[in-house]
Amino acid sequence: MPVAMSLFEELKKQILFEGLSDEELATLVDLVELINYEKGAPIIREMEPTRGIFLIKSGEVEITKKLPIDLKTKMLITMRNMQNCCEIRKTPYGWRQVFSSLIEGQYFGELSVVEGKKHHGADADAVDDCELYLI
């Protein structure tokens, strides 16, 4: 019961759920699944079917998007990295642009849900061991 109560309070703080009544939030809590991911594990992949909204209970998650690479793009990456305007790096999955690093209490995947998209628009990976609520 304490876990459910803390989840209720956490959801109540989130701007995404601010229009919901306590009764509606309690119903939502009953539908939530707690999932564990190990460091480095993929959580969602771009173009995978939308699974829901993920709320970070613990750990850190990085949101990235794959970049198509050609000579012009490589030059732009070099220039951007020199200007520190955004992080772009090579990974085992190809060149990636890092959009954000998220921590406890933050959420992701909401754009696909709120906009009614059938697929996720970016990748999410566990930077370290994570516990996530799937809503």
Side-chain angles (χ1 to χ4, degrees):
M1 194 64 136
V3 170
M5 187 55 112
S6 66
L7 176 57
F8 178 86
E9 293 302 321
E10 186 61 43
L11 291 179
K12 197 169 185 164
K13 292 188 301 188
Q14 299 292 330
I15 193 167
L16 191 63
F17 304 112
E18 71 180 4
L20 298 180
S21 68
D22 285 357
E23 185 178 300
E24 290 168 323
L25 278 176
T27 300
L28 190 59
V29 167
D30 290 339
L31 302 174
V32 172
E33 178 183 358
L34 181 63
I35 305 173
N36 295 301
Y37 290 92
E38 292 182 359
K39 178 180 179 175
I43 300 167
I44 58 174
R45 287 286 167 252
E46 184 177 358
M47 298 311 296
E48 279 185 351
T50 298
R51 293 171 47 201
I53 299 169
F54 292 85
L55 175 64
I56 303 171
K57 180 180 179 191
S58 65
E60 182 179 353
V61 174
E62 187 172 76
I63 309 298
T64 63
K65 191 165 178 80
K66 186 175 182 179
L67 293 174
I69 291 296
D70 57 20
L71 184 55
K72 183 179 176 182
T73 307
K74 285 182 184 179
M75 290 171 55
L76 288 172
I77 289 170
T78 302
M79 289 171 44
R80 284 186 184 155
N81 284 341
M82 288 171 58
Q83 296 171 351
N84 290 326
C85 68
C86 60
E87 184 179 354
I88 298 173
R89 65 174 178 262
K90 189 169 185 173
T91 72
Y93 306 105
W95 286 91
R96 316 288 307 167
Q97 179 176 1
V98 179
F99 286 108
S100 59
S101 289
L102 305 172
I103 58 170
E104 179 181 329
Q106 295 182 301
Y107 53 85
F108 60 95
E110 78 286 357
L111 291 177
S112 297
V113 173
V114 171
E115 295 176 358
K117 294 184 177 178
K118 294 182 181 185
H119 300 96
H120 289 289
D123 291 353
D125 296 290
V127 174
D128 48 34
D129 291 347
C130 293
E131 288 183 293
L132 307 176
Y133 293 114
L134 177 57
I135 304 166

PDB file of all heavy atoms in Angstrom, residues 15 26 37 40 52-53 76-77 83 88 90 100 102 112 130 134:
ATOM      1  N   ILE A  15       2.084  17.845 -13.825  1.00  0.00           N
ATOM      2  CA  ILE A  15       1.234  18.768 -14.587  1.00  0.00           C
ATOM      3  C   ILE A  15       0.389  18.014 -15.616  1.00  0.00           C
ATOM      4  O   ILE A  15      -0.725  18.417 -15.926  1.00  0.00           O
ATOM      5  CB  ILE A  15       2.081  19.875 -15.255  1.00  0.00           C
ATOM      6  CG1 ILE A  15       1.183  20.987 -15.776  1.00  0.00           C
ATOM      7  CG2 ILE A  15       2.956  19.318 -16.348  1.00  0.00           C
ATOM      8  CD1 ILE A  15       1.930  22.244 -16.155  1.00  0.00           C
ATOM      9  N   ALA A  26      -6.768   7.686  -8.590  1.00  0.00           N
ATOM     10  CA  ALA A  26      -6.744   6.379  -7.912  1.00  0.00           C
ATOM     11  C   ALA A  26      -6.981   5.259  -8.924  1.00  0.00           C
ATOM     12  O   ALA A  26      -6.334   4.207  -8.860  1.00  0.00           O
ATOM     13  CB  ALA A  26      -7.783   6.344  -6.800  1.00  0.00           C
ATOM     14  N   TYR A  37      14.689  -1.648 -15.420  1.00  0.00           N
ATOM     15  CA  TYR A  37      15.609  -1.723 -16.554  1.00  0.00           C
ATOM     16  C   TYR A  37      17.026  -1.631 -16.025  1.00  0.00           C
ATOM     17  O   TYR A  37      17.321  -0.801 -15.163  1.00  0.00           O
ATOM     18  CB  TYR A  37      15.365  -0.575 -17.538  1.00  0.00           C
ATOM     19  CG  TYR A  37      14.076  -0.689 -18.294  1.00  0.00           C
ATOM     20  CD1 TYR A  37      12.912  -0.096 -17.805  1.00  0.00           C
ATOM     21  CD2 TYR A  37      14.009  -1.392 -19.486  1.00  0.00           C
ATOM     22  CE1 TYR A  37      11.713  -0.202 -18.497  1.00  0.00           C
ATOM     23  CE2 TYR A  37      12.811  -1.496 -20.186  1.00  0.00           C
ATOM     24  CZ  TYR A  37      11.675  -0.901 -19.686  1.00  0.00           C
ATOM     25  OH  TYR A  37      10.491  -1.014 -20.369  1.00  0.00           O
ATOM     26  N   GLY A  40      22.000   0.695 -19.425  1.00  0.00           N
ATOM     27  CA  GLY A  40      22.264   0.463 -20.845  1.00  0.00           C
ATOM     28  C   GLY A  40      21.129  -0.183 -21.616  1.00  0.00           C
ATOM     29  O   GLY A  40      21.183  -0.278 -22.840  1.00  0.00           O
ATOM     30  N   GLY A  52       2.851   3.763 -23.840  1.00  0.00           N
ATOM     31  CA  GLY A  52       2.288   4.552 -22.751  1.00  0.00           C
ATOM     32  C   GLY A  52       3.247   5.632 -22.314  1.00  0.00           C
ATOM     33  O   GLY A  52       4.219   5.942 -22.999  1.00  0.00           O
ATOM     34  N   ILE A  53       2.967   6.177 -21.143  1.00  0.00           N
ATOM     35  CA  ILE A  53       3.793   7.219 -20.553  1.00  0.00           C
ATOM     36  C   ILE A  53       4.653   6.576 -19.468  1.00  0.00           C
ATOM     37  O   ILE A  53       4.157   5.803 -18.651  1.00  0.00           O
ATOM     38  CB  ILE A  53       2.918   8.330 -19.942  1.00  0.00           C
ATOM     39  CG1 ILE A  53       2.053   8.966 -21.036  1.00  0.00           C
ATOM     40  CG2 ILE A  53       3.766   9.368 -19.219  1.00  0.00           C
ATOM     41  CD1 ILE A  53       0.972   9.879 -20.512  1.00  0.00           C
ATOM     42  N   LEU A  76      28.333  19.085 -39.990  1.00  0.00           N
ATOM     43  CA  LEU A  76      27.435  19.774 -39.068  1.00  0.00           C
ATOM     44  C   LEU A  76      27.612  19.269 -37.642  1.00  0.00           C
ATOM     45  O   LEU A  76      27.585  20.049 -36.687  1.00  0.00           O
ATOM     46  CB  LEU A  76      25.981  19.609 -39.507  1.00  0.00           C
ATOM     47  CG  LEU A  76      25.572  20.396 -40.751  1.00  0.00           C
ATOM     48  CD1 LEU A  76      24.163  19.996 -41.184  1.00  0.00           C
ATOM     49  CD2 LEU A  76      25.637  21.884 -40.491  1.00  0.00           C
ATOM     50  N   ILE A  77      27.779  17.952 -37.494  1.00  0.00           N
ATOM     51  CA  ILE A  77      28.001  17.375 -36.164  1.00  0.00           C
ATOM     52  C   ILE A  77      29.254  17.961 -35.534  1.00  0.00           C
ATOM     53  O   ILE A  77      29.245  18.375 -34.372  1.00  0.00           O
ATOM     54  CB  ILE A  77      28.099  15.830 -36.248  1.00  0.00           C
ATOM     55  CG1 ILE A  77      26.734  15.244 -36.565  1.00  0.00           C
ATOM     56  CG2 ILE A  77      28.681  15.248 -34.968  1.00  0.00           C
ATOM     57  CD1 ILE A  77      26.759  13.775 -36.908  1.00  0.00           C
ATOM     58  N   GLN A  83      30.399  23.976 -30.829  1.00  0.00           N
ATOM     59  CA  GLN A  83      29.644  25.091 -30.283  1.00  0.00           C
ATOM     60  C   GLN A  83      28.857  24.703 -29.028  1.00  0.00           C
ATOM     61  O   GLN A  83      28.215  25.543 -28.408  1.00  0.00           O
ATOM     62  CB  GLN A  83      28.657  25.619 -31.333  1.00  0.00           C
ATOM     63  CG  GLN A  83      29.341  26.188 -32.546  1.00  0.00           C
ATOM     64  CD  GLN A  83      28.354  26.498 -33.662  1.00  0.00           C
ATOM     65  OE1 GLN A  83      27.183  26.140 -33.595  1.00  0.00           O
ATOM     66  NE2 GLN A  83      28.837  27.163 -34.681  1.00  0.00           N
ATOM     67  N   ILE A  88      25.868  15.359 -29.958  1.00  0.00           N
ATOM     68  CA  ILE A  88      25.707  14.360 -31.009  1.00  0.00           C
ATOM     69  C   ILE A  88      26.898  13.422 -30.883  1.00  0.00           C
ATOM     70  O   ILE A  88      28.036  13.869 -30.765  1.00  0.00           O
ATOM     71  CB  ILE A  88      25.676  15.007 -32.405  1.00  0.00           C
ATOM     72  CG1 ILE A  88      24.480  15.950 -32.499  1.00  0.00           C
ATOM     73  CG2 ILE A  88      25.615  13.945 -33.489  1.00  0.00           C
ATOM     74  CD1 ILE A  88      24.421  16.768 -33.754  1.00  0.00           C
ATOM     75  N   LYS A  90      28.501   9.126 -31.667  1.00  0.00           N
ATOM     76  CA  LYS A  90      28.374   7.827 -32.315  1.00  0.00           C
ATOM     77  C   LYS A  90      28.166   6.768 -31.240  1.00  0.00           C
ATOM     78  O   LYS A  90      28.846   6.763 -30.221  1.00  0.00           O
ATOM     79  CB  LYS A  90      29.616   7.512 -33.136  1.00  0.00           C
ATOM     80  CG  LYS A  90      29.449   6.284 -33.994  1.00  0.00           C
ATOM     81  CD  LYS A  90      30.567   6.136 -34.986  1.00  0.00           C
ATOM     82  CE  LYS A  90      30.246   4.966 -35.883  1.00  0.00           C
ATOM     83  NZ  LYS A  90      31.180   4.838 -36.990  1.00  0.00           N
ATOM     84  N   SER A 100      17.603  14.852 -24.302  1.00  0.00           N
ATOM     85  CA  SER A 100      17.545  15.158 -22.878  1.00  0.00           C
ATOM     86  C   SER A 100      17.957  13.959 -22.042  1.00  0.00           C
ATOM     87  O   SER A 100      17.910  12.820 -22.495  1.00  0.00           O
ATOM     88  CB  SER A 100      16.141  15.615 -22.469  1.00  0.00           C
ATOM     89  OG  SER A 100      15.204  14.614 -22.754  1.00  0.00           O
ATOM     90  N   LEU A 102      16.814  12.527 -18.347  1.00  0.00           N
ATOM     91  CA  LEU A 102      15.714  12.683 -17.396  1.00  0.00           C
ATOM     92  C   LEU A 102      16.005  11.893 -16.127  1.00  0.00           C
ATOM     93  O   LEU A 102      16.636  10.839 -16.175  1.00  0.00           O
ATOM     94  CB  LEU A 102      14.414  12.201 -18.025  1.00  0.00           C
ATOM     95  CG  LEU A 102      14.044  12.848 -19.367  1.00  0.00           C
ATOM     96  CD1 LEU A 102      12.839  12.153 -19.982  1.00  0.00           C
ATOM     97  CD2 LEU A 102      13.785  14.320 -19.188  1.00  0.00           C
ATOM     98  N   SER A 112       3.672  10.929 -27.680  1.00  0.00           N
ATOM     99  CA  SER A 112       3.006   9.920 -28.514  1.00  0.00           C
ATOM    100  C   SER A 112       1.594   9.651 -28.019  1.00  0.00           C
ATOM    101  O   SER A 112       0.668   9.488 -28.810  1.00  0.00           O
ATOM    102  CB  SER A 112       3.810   8.615 -28.519  1.00  0.00           C
ATOM    103  OG  SER A 112       5.074   8.831 -29.087  1.00  0.00           O
ATOM    104  N   CYS A 130      17.216   1.500 -13.588  1.00  0.00           N
ATOM    105  CA  CYS A 130      16.031   2.349 -13.479  1.00  0.00           C
ATOM    106  C   CYS A 130      14.820   1.555 -13.038  1.00  0.00           C
ATOM    107  O   CYS A 130      14.660   0.384 -13.376  1.00  0.00           O
ATOM    108  CB  CYS A 130      15.679   2.959 -14.846  1.00  0.00           C
ATOM    109  SG  CYS A 130      16.853   4.110 -15.468  1.00  0.00           S
ATOM    110  N   LEU A 134       4.998   2.495 -15.834  1.00  0.00           N
ATOM    111  CA  LEU A 134       4.381   2.562 -17.162  1.00  0.00           C
ATOM    112  C   LEU A 134       2.902   2.835 -16.978  1.00  0.00           C
ATOM    113  O   LEU A 134       2.188   2.045 -16.370  1.00  0.00           O
ATOM    114  CB  LEU A 134       4.590   1.257 -17.933  1.00  0.00           C
ATOM    115  CG  LEU A 134       3.923   1.177 -19.310  1.00  0.00           C
ATOM    116  CD1 LEU A 134       4.370   2.317 -20.220  1.00  0.00           C
ATOM    117  CD2 LEU A 134       4.221  -0.167 -19.949  1.00  0.00           C
TER     118      LEU A 134
END
